[in-house]
Structure formats: C-alpha cells, structure tokens
Amino acid sequence: MTCWRVAVTAVPDLGGRTALVTGTAHGIGAAILRSLEANGATAFGVDKDTVDVADSARVAALIERAGRVDILVNNAGGVCDQVGKPLEDVHDDEWHEIVDANLTSTFVCTRAVVPGMKAAGYGRIVNISSGAGRSGSLTGIQAYASAKAGQIGLTRQTAHELGRFGITVNCIAPGFVLSNPTTVRQWESYGDEGQQALIERIATRRLGTPEDIANGVLFFVAEESSWITGQVLSIDGGHSIF
C-alpha cells in the first residue's frame, strides 16, 4: 500500500502579494485587512468614505495607483442604513443604493483587476456575500437578499470564465456577525428572547466574529487552494444546515 504524505501549511505565506480589500472601515473588512497583512501581503483597504467602489472611474484610478493587485476581496456592501418594509413601499433609489453598494461594486472592482491578473497568470478574488444570498435575509430587505444572491451568481460565472488564466474566484456567505453598528442594532432589536432563539438555531451556539470570516479568506487565497474556484463557503456556525 502506498502512503501519501501531504504537506499543509497552517497559514498562507502571502509575501510578495498585493491585496485590495473593500469595505474596511470596521468589522469584517478590517479583520480581513489585518489578517492579509499579518501573513505577509502588502494590503490596502478602502471604504465608502474614501472611494465609491461602484464608480468605475474612481476604481480605475485606484487600481492604477496600486500598480498591481494579486488578491481582491470584495467586502463592501451592507444595508446602507435601510430597514425592512413592504415591497410596495420600496423606492427605486433605495433598491439601487443597496444593489450598487453590494453587487455593482463587486462587478466594478473585479473588472478593474482582471486585466492585471490575466497578464500575471495569477489572481485570487474572494467575494463576501451573506447567508441572505443563499436563503433569505433576517433584515427583510429585498434588495439586500437579491444583491447578495447576485454576488454568488457572479462568483460562479467569473470563476468559470477566469480559471484558465490562473485566477480563482470564490465566495464566503457569513452568518450573523456583530461587525458594525447596523448588525449591533439588529441584534439589540431582537431582545433577550429573540437573541436566544437565534443562538439556538446555530449549531455552535455562538455568533460569529470578524476573524472567523477573515480565516475563510486566508483559506481561499492560499496557494494550496489553487484548484478551488466557484465555491460558496458558509461560515455561519452551522446555521445553514437546516
């Protein structure tokens, strides 16, 4: 019998790689940025107060200044301070605001980095979607659930298109993470009983942390993951099992 030995590194070595992370003002984006830097990447982040990542011209200028992007993490998005309301009461501008922040920004940033990645024969793209994109949103916001589902579709389509160029595209669907003021307000709105009910639906019986999501990004950008593309990884403590 042949015994195969597989070498697996505990953490990826990203020395010499340049990474761009969107939506780094706090929470998940900030944790991803820190983790990439801690593992050797030259990483820089942007948030909505510095660059509108749904604006093609601004993103093109950003990529030109960066010079080269080996790793792109599309984390920008969120509910844009909106709350759930009946479908017939949703205004066009409210719909477009959330779709642009989550889905359009992912498309624009991906399109901007792809030429450089193709030229290098290497690229890692990780899109941060949501459990809302796989089922439905606890927020009740139709545009948010739709945009996050769109990110998953875009992940699969671009993975198929770009794989031949040495570029992988994967997606993470986080569960409930207290990562920003919006999720904190949402959590507090449930009250003690609602919070306990949510925890009981999570197999690990705890909420996620930004670092949990950052660890998933490190998995996808590692050299050992070069044959993994077009995948959606639920990091949700087992919430999506049922």
Side-chain angles (χ1 to χ4, degrees):
M1 177 181 293
T2 301
C3 181
W4 297 96
R5 292 187 178 183
V6 179
V8 179
T9 57
V11 293
D13 179 5
L14 302 177
R17 302 297 187 190
T18 300
L20 168 63
V21 184
T22 67
T24 56
H26 42 57
I28 291 174
I32 292 170
L33 189 67
R34 290 193 302 269
S35 68
L36 292 172
E37 290 176 328
N39 286 278
T42 299
F44 60 101
V46 295
D47 59 59
K48 63 182 180 180
D49 294 327
T50 57
V51 177
D52 179 1
V53 288
D55 185 311
S56 298
R58 292 181 181 275
V59 170
L62 172 67
I63 300 304
E64 184 176 358
R65 291 196 303 271
R68 185 190 78 191
V69 175
D70 303 301
I71 299 166
L72 169 66
V73 183
N74 288 304
N75 174 68
V79 300
C80 303
D81 295 323
Q82 295 185 34
V83 296
K85 57 184 177 180
L87 184 66
E88 63 269 26
D89 294 333
V90 178
H91 298 157
D92 288 356
D93 58 345
E94 294 173 322
W95 171 273
H96 289 298
E97 182 182 26
I98 288 180
V99 171
D100 283 349
N102 293 273
L103 181 56
T104 304
S105 65
T106 298
F107 167 74
V108 167
C109 291
T110 299
R111 183 179 60 182
V113 302
V114 160
M117 289 181 174
K118 283 184 175 180
Y122 174 92
R124 296 284 187 271
I125 300 172
V126 183
N127 300 322
I128 308 300
S129 179
S130 169
R134 305 200 76 167
S135 53
S137 177
L138 294 174
T139 67
I141 300 174
Q142 304 86 351
Y144 182 72
S146 301
K148 289 304 185 183
Q151 281 184 305
I152 292 174
L154 182 61
T155 295
R156 291 170 174 157
Q157 190 63 42
T158 51
H160 179 74
E161 177 181 346
L162 301 174
R164 71 194 69 182
F165 302 103
I167 303 168
T168 66
V169 189
N170 290 290
C171 187
I172 292 174
F176 201 100
V177 179
L178 294 178
S179 60
N180 54 53
T182 299
T183 53
V184 170
R185 287 195 299 270
Q186 183 180 348
W187 173 250
E188 292 175 345
S189 73
Y190 295 154
D192 291 341
E193 185 174 337
Q195 290 172 4
Q196 187 59 37
L198 176 59
I199 292 293
E200 289 298 320
R201 293 197 298 271
I202 300 173
T204 58
R205 297 300 192 272
R206 72 169 177 87
L207 301 182
T209 68
E211 289 71 26
D212 288 322
I213 312 308
N215 289 337
V217 172
L218 290 179
F219 167 73
F220 278 135
V221 303
E223 291 298 325
E224 291 84 353
S225 298
S226 63
W227 209 43
I228 300 173
T229 194
Q231 302 306 303
V232 182
L233 175 62
S234 291
I235 303 181
D236 59 6
H239 185 262
S240 59
I241 294 173
F242 297 103

